[in-house]
Amino acid sequence: MKATKAFSTTYTYTLGKSLYVPLTSRCNSLTLPQTRGPNFLLPTDVVNSLLNVRSVEENNSPLDNLEGLSEQAIDGPFDNFGLTRRILPAPIFVKEFSQDSISSDGCYPSEESLLQEMIQFMTQSLKTKIGELDHISNKKLDAIVIAGEGEPTLRLGTILNIARRLRAESTVSTEETLIEKEDDIIPMRLVTNGLPLAEMKAPFRKSILSQLKDEGITEMSVALMTSCPRQYANLMQPLVRADCIHDELCETIRDAIEVGMDVELTGVEHDFVDKNLASELAIELGVKKIFRW
């Protein structure tokens, strides 16, 4: 008998034991999938979730009123479990890349819909389903990751509100939840290019990072890519001050570490990127996890 999901999700998805929460498809640089190359493959359910985010964001309307975009994805080869992996097509619309205010932004996908999926996921007693990868087994959830196709910090207010409300939810009984951390708190990680934060004045940026940390976002993964500012500009194609943004991004990383966040740096392997120099820069910035390629 074919296994079925315990429940369906529209926007969130899982990879490993982590629940991913995509906030936007907008970005002020190349998106994360774009930096991985034109043939980068993702699990089908991930692609569908990211395209749902695109759909509601493009039309600023709930998905119930729209048709999804999943048919635009390109099928890739089957993986070892017999599941198709897909190529996420390039973004089909462009918006201004201005940062939303540090408050509830009223955008889609809404805080309510995202939070509802997160809480539903954490309170379901999920069972292992042989042959499926779009679930987490009963070994428990180990992280909530604010990530996705676009740059999540373009919706800083939504990040803060979701984190705050999720912490409040953690006070309820956790007997049947998937939480497996001290004090019944799931660690939250922010995956970011760091550019909206890097553009802020230093004191304000540091206050925002402190707020994120205080609301439970204790880990941050930053796509620094390289130690070379010129290479960074070519790899990320930032839409903001490309001549100096790498230096400001490094200062942002320092600030995040100073307020107590656990910072990880990421990059994409290229022959022209010197990994040793990148690791040396990471050490200089005070990063403990160095680079993940």
Side-chain angles (χ1 to χ4, degrees):
M1 183 168 60
K2 185 177 179 180
T4 58
K5 290 185 180 181
F7 65 92
S8 61
T9 60
T10 301
Y11 308 115
T12 60
Y13 54 90
T14 61
L15 290 172
K17 296 181 186 178
S18 297
L19 175 63
Y20 281 72
V21 185
L23 299 185
T24 182
S25 58
R26 295 180 299 154
C27 201
N28 51 0
S29 71
L30 291 183
T31 65
L32 186 148
Q34 286 177 312
T35 65
R36 301 287 175 173
N39 296 315
F40 179 56
L41 294 170
L42 288 164
T44 297
D45 63 321
V46 174
V47 171
N48 291 342
S49 292
L50 297 180
L51 290 176
N52 284 340
V53 172
R54 277 193 198 177
S55 185
V56 297
E57 191 167 37
E58 180 185 15
N59 296 276
N60 198 34
S61 179
L63 195 64
D64 290 345
N65 300 334
L66 305 168
E67 293 184 2
L69 302 176
S70 61
E71 69 277 1
Q72 296 183 7
I74 302 169
D75 284 344
F78 287 91
D79 62 18
N80 292 335
F81 292 86
L83 299 176
T84 305
R85 301 176 77 83
R86 312 186 85 186
I87 299 172
L88 183 69
I92 60 173
F93 69 96
V94 176
K95 288 191 174 187
E96 284 192 32
F97 299 102
S98 59
Q99 182 180 312
D100 297 325
S101 61
I102 312 302
S103 63
S104 180
D105 54 30
C107 295
Y108 291 95
S110 68
E111 289 176 19
E112 294 296 335
S113 58
L114 291 169
L115 195 64
Q116 182 179 12
E117 287 192 17
M118 294 166 73
I119 293 171
Q120 182 184 23
F121 190 95
M122 290 186 293
T123 55
Q124 290 288 328
S125 178
L126 300 183
K127 298 179 180 179
T128 303
K129 297 178 176 57
I130 298 174
E132 288 191 357
L133 289 180
D134 56 354
H135 70 286
I136 292 180
S137 73
N138 55 7
K139 289 187 176 180
K140 303 190 179 187
L141 183 68
D142 64 8
I144 292 173
V145 185
I146 309 297
E149 176 185 12
E151 173 47 44
T153 60
L154 291 172
R155 296 187 66 183
L156 266 174
T158 298
I159 295 174
L160 287 166
N161 288 340
I162 284 178
R164 186 177 300 119
R165 293 176 63 183
L166 200 61
R167 279 169 62 84
E169 288 290 335
S170 69
T171 61
V172 302
S173 172
T174 59
E175 183 178 347
E176 294 185 354
T177 67
L178 306 180
I179 300 172
E180 187 186 43
K181 292 293 174 181
E182 289 183 3
D183 300 324
D184 293 328
I185 299 296
I186 302 177
M188 286 186 277
R189 181 169 80 250
L190 175 64
V191 177
T192 176
N193 63 22
L195 296 179
L197 293 165
E199 285 192 280
M200 296 176 180
K201 298 291 185 183
F204 183 61
R205 173 175 67 225
K206 203 163 183 178
S207 72
I208 293 299
L209 288 167
S210 292
Q211 287 183 56
L212 290 169
K213 169 71 163 45
D214 291 344
E215 296 300 345
I217 300 176
T218 58
E219 303 173 13
M220 187 163 74
S221 179
V222 183
L224 185 59
M225 293 294 191
T226 174
S227 63
C228 175
R230 183 174 296 179
Q231 287 180 351
Y232 178 84
N234 289 332
L235 289 168
M236 293 298 291
Q237 299 180 28
L239 300 180
V240 292
R241 302 198 302 277
D243 57 335
C244 63
I245 198 64
H246 185 270
D247 291 338
E248 294 174 5
L249 184 56
C250 289
E251 290 304 313
T252 301
I253 292 165
R254 284 194 176 97
D255 287 343
I257 294 170
E258 196 168 318
V259 302
M261 298 184 84
D262 185 5
V263 178
E264 171 191 63
L265 303 182
T266 62
V268 179
E269 291 195 45
H270 293 281
D271 292 339
F272 55 83
V273 173
D274 190 319
K275 288 185 177 181
N276 291 328
L277 289 178
S279 295
E280 289 175 11
L281 174 59
I283 294 170
E284 180 185 331
L285 295 175
V287 177
K288 295 180 180 179
K289 292 185 177 179
I290 315 299
F291 261 84
R292 180 166 59 84
W293 301 96

